[in-house]
Amino acid sequence: MELQLALDLVDIPGAKQLVAEVAEHIDIVEIGTPVVINEGLRAVKEIKEAFPNLRVLADLKIMDAGGYEVMKASEAGADIITVLGVSDDSTIKGAIAEARKHGKKIMVDMINVKDIEDRAREIDAFGVDYICVHSGYDHQADGKNSFEELAAIKRVVKQAQTAIAGGIKLDTLPEVIGAKPDLVIVGGGITGQADKKSTAAEMKRLVSGV
């Protein structure tokens, strides 16, 4: 089980400072959608250059032009790129095909997918690398979480790794680990803490089963 740090509400200097604090305790650093909107793919490029030993995920939430957008993210240094599960099949397949050309990976974000089990089965057959259940910011405000969705995709996914994101904190992490995803994605549960390094270290210890 691996740990991904999601960066959403920072600029590039702030992102570098945050990652420097916790880099030894995370596996993947996510350049979140708000950062990409504010800073562009330059944020992906600069974080990858600053932390070459970390995998960098570009959370583009691609909805169309999958091949082109994956190409541009790959050129910027992204190792993993996100595509929305509600996208057209051709968009997801185009993203996968382009990622393979560059040795990159595709994560499909299942946010707002209505029939999550059937769609996960379809997407898994396309050959994506990760399928992620995600309680978005607005969902979290309504008290929702993704544990049932994770259980649903784990019933049907045969090839892809599974991931979970949305509102995960140190006190809820044991429940998340019990659901057995391959990847745990944490944002404010680390970035919002006074001692980010020790929080990340404890989270990494827990997900690693040490």
Side-chain angles (χ1 to χ4, degrees), residues 2-142:
E2 293 189 307
L3 180 63
Q4 176 173 309
L5 172 68
L7 300 176
D8 288 319
L9 302 175
V10 290
D11 55 14
I12 293 172
K16 288 180 179 178
Q17 183 178 342
L18 269 169
V19 177
E21 287 188 59
V22 303
E24 64 186 293
H25 304 300
I26 62 173
D27 302 291
I28 301 168
V29 56
E30 170 188 329
I31 307 303
T33 313
V35 182
V36 175
I37 288 170
N38 292 331
E39 301 277 10
L41 285 171
R42 185 168 61 93
V44 173
K45 184 175 186 293
E46 291 202 24
I47 293 297
K48 186 62 180 180
E49 288 175 350
F51 303 96
N53 294 327
L54 285 176
R55 281 167 285 160
V56 176
L57 179 144
D59 189 20
L60 302 189
K61 293 187 173 73
I62 295 169
M63 186 70 176
D64 191 20
Y68 177 78
E69 296 199 10
V70 167
M71 177 184 70
K72 301 310 289 185
S74 298
E75 289 173 355
D79 299 290
I80 307 167
I81 303 101
T82 65
V83 183
L84 292 179
V86 293
S87 302
D88 191 82
D89 289 358
S90 62
T91 299
I92 300 173
K93 290 176 180 178
I96 295 167
E98 188 65 26
R100 295 295 174 264
K101 293 178 187 176
H102 301 279
K104 309 300 185 178
K105 294 187 175 183
I106 295 296
M107 176 184 287
V108 172
D109 186 331
M110 301 295 279
I111 190 169
N112 286 338
V113 170
K114 299 304 181 187
D115 190 336
I116 201 157
E117 197 166 310
D118 280 353
R119 188 58 172 155
R121 185 184 289 108
E122 292 172 349
I123 290 169
D124 187 46
F126 297 161
V128 302
D129 301 284
Y130 298 91
I131 298 176
C132 178
V133 293
H134 181 190
S135 290
Y137 182 82
D138 297 329
H139 288 170
Q140 292 172 45
D142 294 331

Side-chain angles (χ1 to χ4, degrees), residues 136-155:
Y137 182 82
D138 297 329
H139 288 170
Q140 292 172 45
D142 294 331
K144 296 178 182 176
N145 65 51
S146 297
F147 295 123
E148 288 183 11
E149 292 181 342
L150 179 61
I153 69 168
K154 283 183 72 67
R155 283 194 292 270

